[in-house]
């Protein structure tokens, strides 16, 4: 039988919860889990809309035929810059949660999505200059920031043993915003509708997301602005190592989401409607499997799942190179969808590793109980924004690589070869840092201690 909770019931004056201890099992079972799940669902919805707005231009470029006067290189440049802004704003969005509160910032960040959506509605017609499209596209990048603030917020609500599942579900539900907007575009293109119809659907949804956050979400008083945490996270080598690995997983997911339709139209001659029929499948499956990646990481260890996931991503990319050279559209499409699925799986496992790594560091420092948990939450929450931002830069690299590959070779083959090499390096880094077992010398106490700490990372 679980002992009664010693933690006080959460106070919600002004939608602020003053006391929150998810590691207390009795507190979690009595009140904590219900509150955490409620905040999770509405966080997912707001982040979902944010992802849709961020990837809006991956869809809008399919509507932009010859009368818009944009070359394939122009379109890749446009989507690259949108991805870049989405990556950069993730850093301030992460710390905005601590400044404004998770609920309050969700309301603000959701409301801000009206700016790029209304702006796109105003300029989306032939005759608009490329520079205007570029500026308006840059505004859509703010939708990428919602992920970072949402993940930081939800990370604080759940105990360590539940973080893989919760963060995977939160991120996966947000990622589904990519295929959903692509499906909406497919329906509109199929019905001979224009891009403004799509934008007209999302404007009221943004308002709904902001209102629901105001009505049903909470702020945690314990999540306070801690600039020291940001500095400590930035100084920790694991923050940058995980950023590199996240480039391989999430960078692939978001980069391919922007580029898939353009590759099909430019390399295989598909019409926008034909491309839209398949472009949503990969992001949809990649989003749905992200919680599975988190669950597998909870069960078997995130580093192990991540390691073998990079092996599989490399194999799928090798098939893509072959299919691209052979101009085999069915094989190319199938391999691309598999690569999306693997990127989603890796997204879940890498994000589960983050709190586990900092918890292991806390234990290695001799911390125990709530003190260790608080240390892990502090650094993992701060590092998530940096990791998410750097990881999203991978999407920029993918679109720029495709742009250069099409300019140089007329196809995406050169870009895929570069991606294959990257996955090989990511595999090596994962093994060397988190799974390689150093030989501990019994006579050297320092080496033994280091070996024990290294071994603990294999379980994160």
């Amino acid at each position: 039988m679980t002992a009664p909770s010693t933690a006080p019931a959460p106070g919600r004056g002004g939608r602020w919860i003053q006391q929150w201890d998810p590691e207390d099992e009795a507190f979690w079972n009595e009140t904590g889990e219900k509150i955490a799940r409620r905040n999770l669902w509405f966080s997912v919805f707001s982040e979902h809309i944010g992802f849709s707005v961020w990837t809006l231009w991956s869809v809008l470029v399919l509507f932009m035929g010859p009368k818009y006067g944009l070359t394939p290189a122009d379109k890749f440049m446009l989507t690259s810059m949108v991805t870049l802004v989405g990556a950069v704003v993730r850093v301030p969005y992460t710390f905005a949660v601590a400044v404004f509160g998770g609920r309050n910032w969700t309301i603000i960040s959701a409301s801000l999505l009206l700016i790029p959506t209304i702006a796109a509605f105003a300029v989306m017609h032939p005759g608009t200059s490329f520079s205007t499209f570029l500026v308006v596209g840059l505004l859509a990048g703010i939708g990428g920031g919602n992920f970072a603030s949402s993940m930081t917020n939800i990370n604080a609500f759940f105990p360590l043993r539940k973080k893989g599942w919760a963060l995977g579900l939160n991120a996966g539900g947000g990622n589904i915003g990519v295929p959903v907007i692509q499906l909406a575009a497919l329906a509109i293109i199929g019905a001979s509708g224009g891009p403004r119809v799509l934008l007209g659907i999302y404007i009221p949804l943004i308002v709904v997301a902001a209102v629901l956050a105001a009505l049903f979400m909470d702020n945690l008083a314990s999540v306070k602005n801690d600039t020291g945490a940001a500095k400590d996270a930035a100084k920790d080598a694991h923050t940058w190592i995980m950023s590199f690995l996240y480039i391989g997983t999430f960078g692939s997911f978001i980069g391919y989401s922007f580029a898939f339709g353009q590759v099909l139209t430019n390399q295989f001659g598909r019409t926008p409607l034909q491309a839209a029929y398949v472009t949503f499948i990969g992001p949809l499956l990649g989003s749905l499997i992200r919680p599975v990646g988190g669950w597998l990481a909870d069960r078997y260890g995130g580093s192990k799942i991540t390691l073998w996931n990079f092996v599989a991503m490399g194999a799928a990319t090798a098939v893509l190179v072959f299919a691209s050279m052979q101009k085999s559209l069915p094989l190319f499409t199938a391999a691309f969808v598999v690569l999306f699925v693997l990127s989603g799986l890796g997204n879940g496992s890498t994000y589960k590793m983050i709190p586990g790594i900092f918890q292991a560091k806390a234990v290695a420092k001799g911390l125990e109980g709530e003190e260790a948990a608080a240390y892990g939450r502090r650094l993992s929450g701060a590092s998530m924004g940096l990791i998410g931002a750097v990881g999203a830069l991978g999407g920029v690299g993918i679109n720029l690589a495709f742009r250069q590959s099409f300019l140089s070779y007329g196809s995406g083959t050169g870009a895929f070869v570069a991606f294959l090499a990257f996955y090989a390096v990511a595999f090596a880094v994962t093994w060397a840092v988190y799974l390689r077992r150093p030989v501990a010398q019994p006579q050297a106490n320092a080496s033994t201690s280091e070996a024990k700490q290294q071994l603990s990372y294999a379980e994160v």
Side-chain angles (χ1 to χ4, degrees), residues 51 54 76-77 79-92 138 141 144-145 147-148 239-240 242-256 258 347 351 384-402 419 422-423:
F51 258 99
W54 187 24
F76 277 120
M77 177 60 71
T79 53
S80 297
M81 292 303 99
V82 177
T83 312
L84 175 63
V85 174
V88 172
V89 299
R90 286 184 167 198
V91 176
L138 292 176
F147 168 86
T239 297
W240 304 108
M242 290 306 302
S243 296
F244 179 77
L245 299 183
Y246 202 54
I247 287 174
T249 57
F250 181 75
S252 296
F253 175 86
I254 198 65
Y256 295 148
F258 273 99
N347 285 338
Y351 244 76
M384 280 181 178
L386 296 173
I387 293 169
V390 176
L393 289 174
V396 182
I398 280 177
N399 279 271
L400 290 177
F402 276 127
F419 305 152
F422 183 93
Y423 298 142

Side-chain angles (χ1 to χ4, degrees), residues 53-132:
V53 171
W54 187 24
T55 54
L56 181 66
W57 285 90
S58 71
V59 170
L60 293 181
V61 293
L62 297 180
F63 286 97
M64 298 164 73
K67 58 186 177 180
Y68 282 82
L70 300 186
T71 66
D74 288 336
K75 293 180 181 180
F76 277 120
M77 177 60 71
L78 175 58
T79 53
S80 297
M81 292 303 99
V82 177
T83 312
L84 175 63
V85 174
V88 172
V89 299
R90 286 184 167 198
V91 176
Y93 267 56
T94 297
F95 304 115
V97 172
V99 176
F100 297 97
R103 165 189 175 268
N104 296 347
W105 182 248
T106 303
I107 298 168
I108 295 169
S109 61
S111 301
L112 287 173
L113 298 174
L114 289 170
I115 297 173
T117 312
I118 293 173
F121 188 90
V123 305
M124 197 64 199
H125 55 79
T128 300
S129 66
F130 173 67
S131 59
T132 301

Side-chain angles (χ1 to χ4, degrees), residues 86 97 149 163 190 223 239 251 313-314 323 338 353 366 381 390 408 436:
V97 172
S149 55
K163 285 186 190 292
V223 181
T239 297
M313 291 181 75
V338 169
M353 290 172 68
V390 176
S408 301
R436 179 172 60 90

Side-chain angles (χ1 to χ4, degrees), residues 172 175 179 248-250 252-254 256-257 260 278-294 296 305-306 308-310 312-314 316-317 320 332-350 423:
N175 292 170
T249 57
F250 181 75
S252 296
F253 175 86
I254 198 65
Y256 295 148
S257 295
F260 192 16
V278 296
T279 52
F280 75 92
I281 298 173
L284 176 62
L285 295 178
S287 301
L288 291 175
I289 205 169
R290 181 162 183 159
V292 177
L296 288 171
I305 301 300
T306 299
W308 293 108
N309 193 69
F310 279 127
M313 291 181 75
T317 306
L320 276 173
F332 183 88
T333 303
F336 220 137
V337 170
V338 169
L339 192 55
F340 266 112
V341 172
L342 294 169
S343 71
L345 194 72
N347 285 338
S349 63
T350 51
Y423 298 142

Side-chain angles (χ1 to χ4, degrees), residues 77-431:
M77 177 60 71
L78 175 58
T79 53
S80 297
M81 292 303 99
V82 177
T83 312
L84 175 63
V85 174
V88 172
V89 299
R90 286 184 167 198
V91 176
Y93 267 56
T94 297
F95 304 115
V97 172
V99 176
F100 297 97
R103 165 189 175 268
N104 296 347
W105 182 248
T106 303
I107 298 168
I108 295 169
S109 61
S111 301
L112 287 173
L113 298 174
L114 289 170
I115 297 173
T117 312
I118 293 173
F121 188 90
V123 305
M124 197 64 199
H125 55 79
T128 300
S129 66
F130 173 67
S131 59
T132 301
F133 281 130
L134 188 60
V135 170
V136 174
L138 292 176
L139 293 175
I142 64 173
N146 289 43
F147 168 86
S149 55
S150 180
M151 293 293 275
T152 299
N153 185 39
I154 294 305
N155 180 60
F157 273 97
F158 283 83
L160 182 64
R161 66 186 181 279
K162 297 284 187 179
K163 285 186 190 292
W165 172 85
L167 294 174
L169 191 61
N170 186 60
N175 292 170
I176 288 178
V178 179
V180 166
I181 199 167
Q182 292 173 342
L183 276 170
L186 170 61
I188 291 167
I189 293 173
S192 301
R196 286 183 169 179
V197 176
L198 179 66
L199 295 164
I201 292 171
Y202 271 87
I203 290 171
L205 286 177
I206 293 169
V207 176
V208 170
V211 171
L212 290 177
L215 293 176
F216 298 108
M217 291 186 70
D218 302 287
N219 303 302
L220 293 181
S222 58
V223 181
K224 297 177 181 177
N225 194 19
D226 184 355
T227 55
K231 292 177 182 177
D232 289 344
K235 292 177 182 177
D236 196 296
H238 289 286
T239 297
W240 304 108
I241 294 168
M242 290 306 302
S243 296
F244 179 77
L245 299 183
Y246 202 54
I247 287 174
T249 57
F250 181 75
S252 296
F253 175 86
I254 198 65
Y256 295 148
S257 295
F258 273 99
F260 192 16
Q262 294 185 74
V263 172
L264 290 177
T265 56
N266 293 323
Q267 184 168 338
F268 291 93
R270 300 292 90 184
T271 67
L273 183 59
Q274 289 170 332
Y277 270 121
V278 296
T279 52
F280 75 92
I281 298 173
L284 176 62
L285 295 178
S287 301
L288 291 175
I289 205 169
R290 181 162 183 159
V292 177
W295 176 81
L296 288 171
D298 282 338
R299 187 179 179 97
Y300 300 107
S303 54
K304 295 174 185 175
I305 301 300
T306 299
L307 181 80
W308 293 108
N309 193 69
F310 279 127
V311 173
M313 291 181 75
T317 306
V319 174
L320 276 173
V321 171
F322 175 79
S324 180
M325 294 175 66
Q326 296 298 315
K327 297 181 173 57
S328 172
L329 178 60
L331 182 60
F332 183 88
T333 303
F336 220 137
V337 170
V338 169
L339 192 55
F340 266 112
V341 172
L342 294 169
S343 71
L345 194 72
N347 285 338
S349 63
T350 51
Y351 244 76
K352 159 59 181 176
M353 290 172 68
I354 299 167
I357 287 168
F358 288 108
Q359 181 73 11
K361 288 177 74 72
V363 172
K365 286 177 176 288
L367 303 179
E368 297 179 352
E370 175 55 28
E371 188 179 11
Y375 178 94
R377 282 197 301 269
R378 175 177 178 267
L379 287 184
S380 62
S383 68
M384 280 181 178
L386 296 173
I387 293 169
V390 176
L393 289 174
V396 182
I398 280 177
N399 279 271
L400 290 177
F402 276 127
R403 180 178 184 272
Q404 188 59 47
S405 185
F406 275 98
L407 285 173
S408 301
Y409 309 110
S411 75
T413 304
F416 287 120
V417 172
F419 305 152
L420 177 58
F422 183 93
Y423 298 142
V425 175
F427 167 86
V429 169
T430 305
W431 176 81

